[in-house]
Amino acid sequence: MDINLHSPERRLIELRMEHADLDALIDGAVEQPPTDELMLRRLKKRRLALRDQIARLELALDPKEPA
């Protein structure tokens, strides 16, 4: 059971959920002036890092075959 909790597939799901949460948080922050620009930049940077992690994990789980 421990293996399933730490599987790459589960990690991918968790990363996608965190990314979606950040999307919602950023959208809400933009709509509510005054916006803390530093916080917004940090959130966007974290979201970008998550997107990169997701892409790397997806590639590791499903490597593309050379054409």
Side-chain angles (χ1 to χ4, degrees):
M1 187 162 154
D2 267 349
I3 295 171
N4 193 25
L5 291 176
H6 301 291
S7 71
E9 291 84 3
R10 179 167 175 117
R11 180 70 181 141
L12 184 59
I13 291 168
E14 290 170 352
L15 289 171
R16 286 178 176 159
M17 289 171 56
E18 187 176 351
H19 188 272
D21 290 344
L22 276 174
D23 269 341
L25 189 59
I26 290 168
D27 289 344
V30 168
E31 292 174 1
Q32 296 178 6
T35 302
D36 181 353
E37 292 300 323
L38 180 58
M39 180 195 70
L40 195 56
R41 270 190 268 136
R42 288 178 177 166
L43 290 173
K44 287 180 178 182
K45 188 174 183 178
R46 175 69 182 143
R47 181 178 61 178
L48 183 59
L50 283 171
R51 190 179 73 189
D52 290 344
Q53 282 182 299
I54 290 168
R56 282 193 302 269
L57 193 51
E58 286 174 339
L59 187 60
L61 289 173
D62 188 26
K64 302 292 181 215
E65 293 288 328

